[in-house]
């Protein structure tokens, strides 16, 4: 295994969590000759159980057998399990290394990795780069925090390039993961419940993406984001720094000039009018800067990049126009699971808006949204088990606020509150797991409820 001393006997590999990342790590570990045991504390899906049986991989579900887990040489942990979980602390106390699935997969490949992170926009940018790569016929796979896990990709075969969306939870478990191109889009308060409600802890987690890069690698970053720029000043970053900005001219990197994107890298200039971008809004212009800068560093033809950015169709559940009913536009922004993502959504609203908001609060500070709510929102529909913080935050901002407990009721209430020319926006600003499995489930239920009106 790359970066590790070989063992004289089979390495005992324990996988904690039987989700997509855990399954990928289990398959890859077995392929590479490890003695694999997968432990899932909840229910293991029948398809996953069948796949493990076909590979003769030992597993358990419904509980964690600590005696078998503590027999490991190496533990690969699901990103959903916190670093300070009692079980994880017990494993580490035994001197057993605990890593993330992206770290595990990276130990078996020397391929070019392009990794994208950020509080918001990382799926859009990853999909945008994927679209550019497809049009350029560049040999690559795409996944990580979306689609197939990195380990599953490596298990399935070689590829010249690995395009990955990576989350802070995945980055928490790395010790050598080294992307050739790392992209940090923004760092705004999110998942603070996982980081002791300390923003600096979350920032440190995101910045780990560049920790192992060297002078032959690149860090593309948002120079308008003070959290990122402050962190860069404090860290000893070896990678070549390539900034992008919506606010200032840059000698190197991407910036706006006369309503055009300008990208200067390697003494070469790429330009593109922002009105030609297929998806609109300031945040998507910034996303296009990041995606095209990465593509340019990989020497993809300028015309291919331009063609890709004019044909990219966006990401499901992110400012997705669903239907127009009685001259009211319904928009699904279920992927907006934090304040900053919802800020972008509300800022892009051009018509009076009925806003559906709520879910599991992650330590949100709603004050950032006050001016936008006062300007753009005519009514609020709360959707969650506990709406008290939302009611307290916005009770004086709108005349009408209604609490609901399921999606069908929320959409029906919004339908009654909206008038011709208005917009109904689902942009929760919260996690989904109080009433829904995930943001995809929430978005699907919204679209079904709208179609059922």
């Amino acid at each position: 295994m790359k970066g590790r001393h070989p063992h004289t006997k089979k390495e005992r590999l324990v996988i904690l969590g039987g989700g997509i990342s855990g399954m990928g790590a289990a398959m890859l570990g077995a392929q590479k000759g490890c003695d694999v045991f997968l432990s899932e504390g909840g229910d293991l899906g029948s398809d996953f159980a069948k796949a493990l049986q076909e590979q003769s991989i030992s597993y358990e579900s419904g509980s964690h057998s600590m005696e078998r887990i503590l027999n490991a040489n190496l533990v690969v942990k699901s990103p959903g399990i916190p670093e300070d979980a009692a079980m994880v602390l017990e494993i580490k106390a035994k001197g057993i290394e605990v890593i993330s699935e992206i770290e595990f997969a990276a130990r078996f490949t020397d391929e070019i990795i392009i990794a994208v992170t950020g509080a918001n926009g990382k799926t859009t940018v990853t999909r945008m780069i994927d679209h550019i790569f497809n049009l350029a016929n560049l040999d690559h796979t795409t996944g990580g925090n979306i689609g197939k896990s990195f380990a599953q990709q490596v298990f399935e075969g070689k590829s010249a390039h690995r395009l990955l969306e990576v989350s802070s939870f995945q980055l928490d478990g790395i010790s050598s993961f080294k992307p050739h191109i790392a992209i940090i889009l923004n760092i705004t308060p999110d998942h603070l419940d996982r980081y002791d409600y300390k923003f600096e802890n979350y920032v440190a987690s995101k910045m780990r993406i560049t920790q192992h890069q060297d002078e032959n690698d690149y860090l593309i970053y948002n120079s308008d984001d003070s959290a990122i720029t402050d962190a860069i000043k404090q860290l000893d970053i070896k990678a070549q720094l390539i900034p992008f900005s919506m606010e200032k001219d840059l000698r190197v990197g991407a910036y706006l000039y006369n309503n055009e994107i300008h990208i200067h890298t390697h003494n070469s200039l790429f330009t593109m009018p922002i009105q030609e971008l297929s998806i609109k809004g300031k945040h998507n212009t910034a996303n296009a800067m990041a995606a095209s800068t990465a593509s340019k560093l990989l020497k993809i033809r300028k015309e291919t990049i331009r063609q890709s950015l004019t044909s990219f169709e966006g990401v499901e559940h992110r400012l997705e126009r669903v239907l127009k009913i009685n001259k009211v536009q319904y928009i699904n922004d279920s992927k907006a699971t934090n304040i900053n993502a919802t800020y972008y959504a509300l800022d892009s609203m051009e018509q009076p808006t009925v806003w559906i908001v709520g879910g599991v609060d992650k330590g949100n500070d709603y004050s950032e949204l006050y001016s936008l709510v006062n300007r753009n929102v005519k009514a609020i529909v709360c959707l969650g088990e506990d709406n008290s913080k939302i009611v307290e935050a916005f009770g004086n901002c709108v005349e009408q606020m209604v609490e609901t407990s399921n999606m069908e009721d929320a959409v029906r209430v919004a339908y009654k509150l909206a008038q011709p020319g208005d917009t109904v926006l689902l942009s929760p600003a919260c996690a989904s797991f109080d009433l829904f499995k995930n943001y995809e489930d929430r978005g699907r239920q919204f679209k079904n409820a709208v179609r059922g009106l």
Side-chain angles (χ1 to χ4, degrees):
M1 188 184 299
K2 188 178 76 173
R4 294 178 57 85
H5 297 293
H7 295 281
T8 54
K9 60 180 181 179
K10 268 193 174 184
E11 180 157 43
R12 170 77 170 162
L13 173 65
V14 170
I15 312 294
L16 292 183
I20 291 173
S21 67
M23 288 297 298
M27 296 296 187
L28 179 60
Q31 183 188 69
K32 300 303 180 182
C34 299
D35 177 15
V36 182
F37 173 62
L38 184 146
S39 180
E40 166 58 56
D43 293 328
L44 188 67
S46 57
D47 289 344
F48 284 177
K50 182 179 178 182
L52 292 171
Q53 292 163 9
E54 289 174 350
Q55 297 292 325
S56 299
I57 296 173
S58 179
Y59 69 93
E60 67 178 351
S61 61
S63 64
H64 294 295
S65 301
M66 290 308 297
E67 184 177 349
R68 299 185 71 179
I69 292 170
L70 294 175
N71 190 33
N73 302 116
L74 178 68
V75 172
V76 175
K77 177 184 72 64
S78 163
I81 301 173
E83 295 289 322
D84 60 356
M87 174 174 57
V88 176
L89 295 177
E90 185 176 353
I91 295 167
K92 290 181 177 179
K94 292 288 186 179
I96 302 168
E97 185 182 16
V98 180
I99 62 174
S100 67
E101 169 264 330
I102 62 168
E103 169 68 25
F104 181 67
R107 294 181 178 184
F108 294 101
T109 177
D110 291 315
E111 296 154 330
I112 294 172
I113 297 173
I114 303 95
V116 183
T117 198
N120 299 295
K122 55 186 177 290
T123 299
T124 297
V125 171
T126 303
R127 292 299 188 198
M128 202 177 277
I129 297 173
D130 175 66
H131 185 59
I132 296 170
F133 285 4
N134 285 335
L135 265 64
N137 292 315
L138 194 72
D139 182 30
H140 75 288
T141 60
T142 300
N145 196 45
I146 55 172
K148 290 182 180 179
S149 69
F150 187 19
Q152 182 71 28
Q153 295 172 42
V154 176
F155 167 78
E156 291 179 355
K158 291 186 177 298
S159 180
H161 302 82
R162 304 293 190 180
L163 172 58
L164 303 173
E165 174 188 318
V166 295
S167 69
S168 59
F169 296 171
Q170 291 170 312
L171 291 169
D172 285 336
I174 67 169
S175 57
S176 63
F177 176 74
K178 179 181 177 293
H180 176 54
I181 298 176
I183 303 174
I184 307 180
L185 299 170
N186 45 63
I187 307 179
T188 58
D190 194 14
H191 302 297
L192 295 189
D193 51 336
R194 180 79 171 248
Y195 293 98
D196 296 328
Y197 294 93
K198 295 178 181 177
F199 182 51
E200 61 269 27
N201 293 352
Y202 181 58
V203 172
S205 176
K206 286 294 190 188
M207 296 305 297
R208 289 174 67 84
I209 196 171
T210 189
Q211 183 174 359
H212 303 290
Q213 289 187 297
D214 60 37
E215 61 276 3
N216 297 312
D217 302 318
Y218 299 95
L219 173 61
I220 299 170
Y221 69 96
N222 183 351
S223 66
D224 300 332
D225 189 308
S226 60
I228 298 174
T229 55
D230 289 347
I232 286 174
K233 292 173 185 175
Q234 296 169 18
L235 297 172
D236 181 22
I237 294 175
K238 302 290 196 303
Q240 299 177 51
L241 298 176
I242 312 290
F244 65 91
S245 173
M246 294 285 291
E247 300 174 359
K248 51 187 175 287
D249 292 349
L250 300 170
R251 294 179 63 187
V252 174
Y255 61 94
L256 290 183
Y257 181 75
N258 285 343
N259 288 319
E260 285 188 332
I261 293 174
H262 283 227
I263 303 177
H264 280 283
T265 58
H266 299 150
N267 297 315
S268 171
L269 175 64
F270 168 88
T271 64
M272 180 173 178
I274 60 174
Q275 62 264 30
E276 293 182 9
L277 296 174
S278 59
I279 53 175
K280 308 303 179 183
K282 289 185 290 185
H283 61 294
N284 280 322
T285 299
N287 291 339
M289 284 181 178
S292 50
T293 300
S295 302
K296 192 168 180 290
L297 290 172
L298 292 170
K299 297 181 171 54
I300 292 176
R301 292 178 62 247
K302 296 176 184 179
E303 189 51 43
T304 300
I305 298 173
R306 289 191 192 96
Q307 181 184 349
S308 302
L309 296 180
T310 59
S311 60
F312 179 67
E313 295 183 351
V315 175
E316 188 180 13
H317 307 300
R318 190 71 181 99
L319 288 173
E320 177 188 13
R321 292 176 178 267
V322 180
L323 282 176
K324 183 173 279 190
I325 301 172
N326 295 337
K327 297 183 179 179
V328 174
Q329 179 68 61
Y330 290 78
I331 296 178
N332 169 31
D333 195 42
S334 179
K335 202 172 188 307
T337 58
N338 59 52
I339 293 294
N340 195 243
T342 293
Y343 182 97
Y344 288 134
L346 291 175
D347 190 42
S348 68
M349 294 298 104
E350 297 178 350
Q351 308 297 333
T353 300
V354 178
W355 175 30
I356 302 176
V357 57
V360 176
D361 186 284
K362 297 182 287 185
N364 290 348
D365 177 5
Y366 293 103
S367 62
E368 295 178 43
L369 303 179
Y370 288 164
S371 61
L372 288 173
V373 172
N374 285 325
R375 187 179 78 202
N376 295 342
V377 176
K378 63 179 288 184
I380 291 176
V381 179
C382 300
L383 176 60
E385 290 184 351
D386 182 4
N387 302 307
S388 57
K389 281 191 68 176
I390 295 169
V391 172
E392 180 182 354
F394 300 110
N396 295 324
C397 295
V398 295
E399 292 185 3
Q400 293 176 295
M401 178 179 287
V402 181
E403 294 191 64
T404 60
S405 58
N406 62 70
M407 185 61 77
E408 287 189 358
D409 284 349
V411 170
R412 277 196 293 264
V413 169
Y415 175 81
K416 293 177 181 177
L417 293 173
Q419 297 176 334
D422 290 350
T423 297
V424 172
L425 170 69
L426 169 67
S427 191
C430 300
S432 55
F433 45 82
D434 58 343
L435 299 176
F436 310 98
K437 296 177 183 177
N438 46 44
Y439 75 80
E440 291 100 333
D441 177 46
R442 178 166 56 192
R444 282 192 293 268
Q445 288 198 34
F446 175 73
K447 290 190 283 188
N448 289 338
V450 170
R451 290 165 183 151
L453 287 173

